[in-house]
Amino acid sequence: GLEILLESTGTPAEAVDELIVAGAFGSFLNLESALAIGLLPRLPRARYAQVGNAAGVGAKALLLSLKERTRAQKIASRTSYIELTTYPGFQRRFALSMWFPAAQRRVREDA
């Protein structure tokens, strides 16, 4: 999914300033292990932020602050939806991503 997001926006992984991993998943994920197995793009560790309940914190901020509500509306107006299941080549990429990095390289080289 991250590869497709980067590809569809024409953004190289190196251009990502911050990648926020949220929710329980983000709170308890071991980033070093996730990077080692290829779950997340190889970015410098300092570019990753692990946050807890980002949705809850955001909802609270929107309820309490007109400034934050306006900021959220601006972000929403620049946001678009990408349906991964209909994206060309997604099914194959998804299946290949289930393998660990060394196995992925071997399968891609054979393809």
Side-chain angles (χ1 to χ4, degrees):
L2 289 170
E3 286 178 10
I4 289 172
L5 178 62
L6 293 171
E7 179 182 297
S8 67
T9 60
T11 306
E14 312 78 59
V16 175
D17 293 328
E18 183 178 33
L19 198 149
I20 300 169
V21 190
F25 178 79
S27 294
F28 298 104
L29 179 70
N30 180 310
L31 278 178
E32 285 70 28
S33 295
L35 291 167
I37 66 168
L39 181 64
L40 298 171
R42 289 213 170 267
L43 298 173
R45 175 64 177 85
R47 293 191 191 175
Y48 284 93
Q50 290 178 277
V51 298
N53 185 0
V57 171
K60 183 178 175 182
L62 293 179
L63 289 171
L64 298 175
S65 170
L66 184 56
K67 178 182 173 185
E68 290 300 320
R69 197 171 316 138
T70 301
R71 181 173 172 251
Q73 288 170 334
K74 287 179 183 176
I75 292 170
S77 72
R78 297 187 324 257
T79 302
S80 61
Y81 175 77
I82 298 171
E83 176 58 53
L84 293 177
T85 60
T86 60
Y87 194 88
F90 169 74
Q91 298 297 333
R92 178 169 172 71
R93 289 167 82 169
F94 180 78
L96 288 173
S97 71
M98 300 284 186
W99 296 57
F100 289 107
Q104 285 179 358
R105 284 190 294 279
R106 286 193 303 274
V107 171
R108 287 183 176 148
E109 288 167 1
D110 292 343

